[in-house]
Amino acid sequence: MTRLAKDGWRVAAHAVGDAAVDQVLDGFEAATATTSLKGRRWTIEHGFIVHPRQIERMKQLDIMLSVQDHLYLAGPSLRKYWGESRANHVTPLRTLMGSGLVVAGGTDAPVVPANPFWAMYHFLSRDTIQGGVMGAGERVTDRGAILRMFTLNYAKMVGEDQAIGSIEPGKSADFVLLSDNFMTAPLNNIRDMKAIETYIGGHKVYENK
């Protein structure tokens, strides 16, 4: 990590369990002995199980998190192997967002299906395909915040927020026409939403016929 920081690389390190998160943070902190990570957009991918003490370390380092909806698909398996308490704490999004960290949303495709609406639905409901609601206290009820996770926050994470990630003058006209209104549709409808048309730079690149 020290060498990568010196050479100007941006690191996105995968870490799932809390011990793995500690190892990554140890490496990130070692790098700061010679090179500050402030504003460098270093990221932890996944971060399934994160504790408050680790969140404070992340904030001190000024790093970001990239999270996905593995719990939505694998809830019963995680409950079986990790126990109820740990499984309910997987990707504690409400806590992470409330801490002030920049959190970007994704799907981790092709490891899991690429449908972003499943992920959005899961973060809003904490529902899973087979295991019911898990960790209800980590629901995020602000739909606008969930949209920003998958758009502007992701653009920030990859350093392109001055060009993409939101509809503003001077940015690329990237947008989708959806099958329903994400902000007002019944919660259960979100997982079945589809992109009817997709535009990049103002040009249609996809149509669901």
Side-chain angles (χ1 to χ4, degrees), residues 175-202:
F175 59 93
V176 291
L177 175 65
L178 300 178
S179 58
D180 208 334
N181 187 330
F182 178 81
M183 300 300 291
T184 61
L187 182 57
N188 286 341
N189 288 14
I190 290 176
R191 60 188 164 191
D192 298 319
M193 288 175 63
K194 292 180 171 45
I196 304 301
E197 294 178 356
T198 301
Y199 292 78
I200 297 179

Side-chain angles (χ1 to χ4, degrees), residues 7 37 70 102 104 106 124 130 184-185:
D7 289 349
L37 301 185
H70 298 80
V102 176
L124 288 165
Q130 294 181 333
T184 61

Side-chain angles (χ1 to χ4, degrees), residues 36-111:
S36 173
L37 301 185
K38 300 287 185 182
R40 298 281 295 273
R41 298 176 287 108
W42 280 35
T43 301
I44 289 181
E45 288 279 349
H46 310 315
F48 280 7
I49 300 174
V50 177
H51 296 294
R53 61 178 172 76
Q54 294 171 322
I55 292 174
E56 288 306 311
R57 294 175 72 186
M58 293 175 190
K59 291 171 66 176
Q60 288 296 316
L61 289 166
D62 188 32
I63 65 172
M64 301 179 178
L65 275 168
S66 173
V67 301
Q68 304 84 21
D69 63 325
H70 298 80
L71 182 64
Y72 180 61
L73 295 112
S77 294
L78 298 185
R79 182 185 284 133
K80 174 181 177 182
Y81 290 110
W82 291 353
E84 186 78 19
S85 178
R86 278 177 175 254
N88 286 342
H89 193 66
V90 168
T91 316
L93 187 58
R94 185 184 183 94
T95 298
L96 294 172
M97 294 177 76
S99 73
L101 289 168
V102 176
V103 184
T107 64
D108 203 32
V111 177

